[in-house]
């Protein structure tokens, strides 16, 4: 996949603020500080289009990024960060519930997990929620550069078992630092969008 153009277009807290377009969308869901913004930036080969920070919970709205004037990445608020209030957690949950329930443009979700850690209860709940809704999910395990490649299967098996996936090889190891998994991620997204065209 060649990225010719990528731009931030909108931040939304409800459906009235979603971009008015007919382009397909791929959302990114994951815990705060798991590397969703870094994944987006590496995918589009831009350093700072998606804002990254050392403070988890920075993404507090649904952020829409238009790619090649054809489709969108939608960066969802991170979940599972203890230092935000229950009220903020509740708002994030309602935002995501509304998006998943009403957005016809949504084609798939990339669920981002940290390869080094067993998925949290929130990760498990998100996977189950998406599965119940019949929304296709691709699991990307970030920070793969922190683990020796030979050890990847061991960690991916833990993730697969925790998320109730039938095969650990369905999980895509990824590193925004080294670029490991970037080509595979491009191919996976292209396949999602190709299914949409057909």
């Amino acid at each position: 996949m060649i990225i010719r153009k990528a731009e931030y277009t909108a931040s939304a807290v409800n459906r009235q603020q979603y971009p008015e377009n007919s382009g397909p969308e791929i959302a990114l869901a994951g815990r705060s500080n798991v590397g969703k913004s870094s994944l987006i930036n590496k995918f589009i080969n831009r350093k700072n289009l998606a804002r990254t920070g050392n403070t988890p919970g920075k993404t507090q709205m649904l952020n829409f990024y238009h790619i090649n004037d054809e489709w969108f990445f939608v960066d969802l608020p991170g979940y599972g960060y203890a230092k935000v209030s229950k009220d903020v957690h509740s708002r994030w949950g309602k935002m995501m519930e509304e998006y998943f329930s009403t957005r016809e443009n949504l084609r798939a979700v990339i669920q981002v997990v940290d390869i080094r850690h067993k998925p949290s209860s929130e990760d498990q709940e998100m996977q189950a929620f998406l599965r119940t809704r019949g929304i296709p999910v691709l699991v990307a395990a970030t920070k793969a550069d922190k683990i020796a490649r030979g050890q990847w299967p061991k960690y991916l098996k833990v993730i697969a078992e925790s998320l109730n996936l039938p095969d650990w090889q369905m999980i895509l190891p990824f590193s925004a630092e080294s670029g490991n998994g970037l080509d595979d991620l491009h191919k996976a997204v292209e396949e999602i969008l190709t299914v949409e065209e057909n």
Side-chain angles (χ1 to χ4, degrees):
M1 172 177 283
I2 298 171
I3 307 299
R4 301 182 304 277
K5 183 178 179 182
E7 59 184 354
Y8 161 82
T9 57
S11 292
V13 296
N14 57 50
R15 60 191 298 186
Q16 286 75 31
Q17 297 174 338
Y18 301 161
E20 293 182 10
N21 68 84
S22 57
E25 295 172 359
I26 297 174
L28 290 99
R31 287 174 59 84
S32 298
N33 222 24
V34 76
K36 290 187 286 95
S37 297
S38 296
L39 182 150
I40 292 173
N41 288 330
K42 189 68 177 180
F43 186 96
I44 61 178
N45 196 26
R46 293 268 293 276
K47 283 190 176 177
N48 295 307
L49 183 65
R51 288 182 299 172
T52 60
N54 294 324
T55 306
K58 191 168 184 178
T59 300
Q60 299 195 10
M61 296 183 283
L62 285 73
N63 294 320
F64 292 77
Y65 301 94
H66 204 190
I67 314 298
N68 289 345
D69 290 327
E70 294 170 355
W71 59 279
F72 287 81
F73 266 143
V74 185
D75 190 9
L76 305 175
Y79 50 77
Y81 183 53
K83 289 188 181 179
V84 298
S85 68
K86 289 183 179 178
D87 180 53
V88 170
H89 269 303
S90 176
R91 285 205 309 272
W92 290 356
K94 288 173 183 172
M95 268 194 286
M96 288 196 271
E97 170 74 31
E98 181 178 40
Y99 177 74
F100 288 132
S101 301
T102 66
R103 192 61 166 166
E104 294 180 359
N105 302 55
L106 179 64
R107 296 296 173 260
V109 172
I110 298 174
Q111 184 177 19
V112 185
V113 298
D114 187 326
I115 194 171
R116 301 169 297 177
H117 305 300
K118 181 179 178 180
S120 67
S121 58
E122 291 96 343
D123 290 319
Q124 293 170 338
E125 287 167 11
M126 177 60 73
Q127 176 72 209
F129 174 84
L130 295 170
R131 197 174 294 165
T132 300
R133 291 295 175 101
I135 299 171
V137 187
L138 169 67
V139 178
T142 59
K143 309 190 182 183
D145 57 291
K146 309 292 187 188
I147 303 287
R149 186 183 286 263
Q151 293 292 306
W152 285 359
K154 180 176 104 174
Y155 287 86
L156 294 174
K157 285 173 184 175
V158 170
I159 294 170
E161 184 176 347
S162 179
L163 295 181
N164 200 23
L165 300 175
D167 187 349
W168 63 269
Q169 295 185 69
M170 296 170 65
I171 302 168
L172 178 64
F174 182 84
S175 168
E177 289 290 325
S178 68
N180 268 324
L182 181 60
D183 288 344
D184 290 334
L185 185 59
H186 275 172
K187 286 176 189 170
V189 168
E190 205 158 26
E191 284 176 12
I192 293 166
L193 297 172
T194 300
V195 169
E196 157 68 13
E197 289 173 2
N198 295 335

